[in-house]
Amino acid sequence: MSQSILYASMALSLAAVIAAVILAIRKQPKERGQMCLRETWMTAVLGVMLIALGYVVCAMKLMDETVAGTGMNSWLFVAGFQLVSQLLGAYSLLYAFVKKTQVFEERIELISAFGSVKTVYWDDIVKVDKSMLGRSLKLTTKDKEIVSISGDSAKFREFAGYAVKRIRPAEGKALLKQIETRMRTGR
């Protein structure tokens, strides 16, 4: 009974990883527009490491039943840990390969990790903020909708320079110039 829970967790997580890979292949958007921001390759590495971690923990428990304790609760813990690791790894892969921000002359297209597209027009942006953690920008539209822009450092710097020219005098334009300058000088 205890090993069957672990095998069921492994089968379920394998299905989730396969579904994520298929979704990443099918939903892979073509790069269009002036520029395309995407996540760094380290996000994909993190996803692969999380997936591997889940299977390694399962293999360890199957080889030595005392790993993570004894009793039924230890089997449930390992199965749950493995499933969570696999799901986070699969989402990290989707985040790395599908999520993109495509910049056009009149708009920005934000493609989520699951492939849905959201369009924000430059003229609709009324406020620009920098997130407290990490390197991302929060753009607020006149409809009070907040979208977050992030990505690889080089492309993010290029985006900040482009956004300074495209965003009309709005609250936060000085922040964009400051970010562009800091990234250009490496500070």
Side-chain angles (χ1 to χ4, degrees), residues 79-100:
F81 181 84
Q82 189 266 345
L83 190 59
V84 168
S85 295
Q86 301 295 319
L87 292 175
L88 287 172
Y91 183 76
S92 294
L93 291 177
L94 287 174
Y95 199 79
F97 293 117
V98 178
K99 181 189 173 291
K100 290 182 176 77

Side-chain angles (χ1 to χ4, degrees), residues 2 8-9 13-14 16 25 34 39 42 49 61 63 70 76-77 80 86 88 114-115 134 152 157 166 180 185:
S2 53
S9 172
S13 63
L14 181 63
I25 292 169
Q34 263 67 25
E39 283 302 309
M42 285 303 294
M49 289 174 61
K61 182 69 174 174
M63 288 191 283
T70 57
L76 289 172
F77 171 76
Q86 301 295 319
L88 287 172
F114 294 107
D152 172 16
R157 178 178 48 241
R166 297 298 308 153
E180 183 206 14
T185 60

